[in-house]
Every structure is written in structure tokens, then in C-alpha cells.
Amino acid sequence: MSVNAWLELDGVRHHLPEGETYVGRGVVCAIVLRDQLASRQHVRFTRAGGQVVVEDLASRNGTYVNGERLDRGRVLAHGDVVLVGAVRITFGVAASTPSYLPPGIELLERHARDPEVVRSASVHTQEVHVTEPAVSSVAVLESLVDSPAARAAPASFAGGVCGSIERLLTVAEQRAEPLDAELADRVVRVAEIVDRWFPDGSRAEWAASVRRRLGR
């Protein structure tokens, strides 16, 4: 059984791939922080299977795990909180258990009580003449972010949409089956819509990570 590892910031999960992941203010980092207390390359997460080690990179303000300052590499456990500047990063790891529902359909079921959302999704998915889970998932996500309900209350939809995209990309990466160019562009559009829902830029880093993972 495969293992899924992630870093969660502001309610958004960032998939941790095998190897090294850098976090900091610098644009070369995989996860870019908008925090002046963070160094340009502040911390490194190194993943080998289900084990993840965090290391401070001689940052100006240090890195803390569960309130303790790091002075050497440390193996993380599920639920550990890493403090980078003023940013709290929660580490998570779990065995991957495949869902029988595509992530977009699963999200739709959570909002099934809203007739406007269901109507929008139904019209949108009827236009899709293929049965691949990734395609149907993206079609549903597009209908959700374009629905009046989501525009009226984006905060209630953002977490679910972000989580669905993260799971869609993780499954594609685990199976070594990248999304085709058209589908990748559609996923990026959904991510950018979610980003625009929050003028404070709180979803900007996540949207940028989606573009990087899709090579966009």
C-alpha cells in the first residue's frame, strides 16, 4: 500500500513528493511563504517513503517543531507542527486508500443539498462524453467554482475544492499518469478562480504549487 505525505498551511494540503522539498520566501522554493520572518531558503523536508525529515537551513529566526527549536534533522510524526517564521505547517502522513468516487464527484455529494450546485454540475457533466475519472472530476470542479452558490460563499467551498485538486494530482503522480495539456489547463483555471476568491492572497501559494506540479 502506498503512503501519502503532506504539509498543511492555512487549511490547504501540499503533497510531499519523494526527495527534497524546500520552504521559504525565495521563489525557487517549492512552497513560497509570504512572511518576512522566514528566510529565503528556510527549511528542507526530505521524504523517503513514509519517513520525512525536517532540517533548518541556518535560518535567521530558526525552525520549531512542536515548540522546540531544531538544532539538527528530525523525523516527523503525523500531526507534528513546524513553525517557520510565523507560519504554522502541520505534517501529515497516511496510507493511501483509493476512493471509489472521483474527487470532484465526492465533493459534489457534500453539497448535494444545494439545488443550484447540483443543477450546474449536472448540466456541465452531461457535456462530457468520456468516462475517465480525472475528466469527470475536473468537470464537476469547474461547475462548482462557477456556481452562484460558490461565488456567494467561497469560504465554504474552497477547502473542498483545494483538497479535491490535491488528491487528483497525487493520484496522477502516484500512477505516473500525468494529465494531458488541456486537462492540466482546466485544473489551473479552477485553482486560479479559488485564488481570486481570496483577495488577501491566502490561496496564492497553493495556486502557484498547482501550476508548478502541472508544469504550467
Side-chain angles (χ1 to χ4, degrees):
M1 183 177 291
S2 60
V3 174
N4 185 27
W6 65 87
L7 301 175
E8 185 169 328
L9 295 76
D10 297 324
V12 177
R13 287 185 177 183
H14 299 262
H15 169 67
L16 262 183
E18 291 286 330
E20 298 178 341
T21 296
Y22 290 84
V23 178
R25 285 192 299 112
V27 295
V28 298
C29 292
I31 300 177
V32 180
L33 304 179
R34 294 185 177 183
D35 178 13
Q36 293 303 311
L37 295 178
S39 299
R40 294 187 182 279
Q41 275 198 335
H42 194 112
V43 68
R44 176 173 59 217
F45 295 86
T46 304
R47 177 182 174 186
Q51 178 172 288
V52 175
V53 175
V54 60
E55 300 170 88
D56 181 78
L57 301 177
S59 64
R60 182 175 68 253
N61 293 311
T63 301
Y64 296 79
V65 177
N66 300 332
E68 298 180 5
R69 184 162 183 157
L70 284 180
D71 56 6
R72 61 177 65 86
R74 174 168 170 171
V75 177
L76 292 174
H78 179 77
D80 280 349
V81 176
V82 181
L83 186 65
V84 177
V87 179
R88 290 170 55 89
I89 303 173
T90 303
F91 170 71
V93 62
S96 296
T97 53
S99 171
Y100 293 102
L101 289 175
I105 304 298
E106 198 167 56
L107 179 59
L108 175 61
E109 287 198 344
R110 299 180 199 170
H111 294 280
R113 294 182 181 178
D114 191 322
E116 189 62 42
V117 172
V118 174
R119 186 181 309 112
S120 176
S122 299
V123 170
H124 207 117
T125 53
Q126 284 170 6
E127 299 171 356
V128 180
H129 300 290
V130 292
T131 57
E132 296 177 16
V135 177
S136 61
S137 294
V138 174
V140 172
L141 291 173
E142 287 173 326
S143 69
L144 285 172
V145 298
D146 289 334
S147 70
R151 291 194 295 270
S156 65
F157 284 81
V161 173
C162 293
S164 293
I165 288 178
E166 287 293 317
R167 188 154 67 85
L168 178 66
L169 298 185
T170 297
V171 169
E173 291 164 353
Q174 290 174 342
R175 295 178 177 175
E177 296 176 355
L179 305 184
D180 63 39
E182 179 187 355
L183 204 56
D185 287 341
R186 290 167 63 186
V187 172
V188 167
R189 174 182 172 272
V190 171
E192 290 176 343
I193 289 174
V194 173
D195 180 25
R196 290 196 295 272
W197 283 347
F198 299 89
D200 62 356
S202 59
R203 289 293 188 272
E205 293 161 12
W206 170 78
S209 75
V210 170
R211 288 193 291 269
R212 284 194 296 270
R213 291 171 70 180
L214 290 171
R216 290 298 188 264

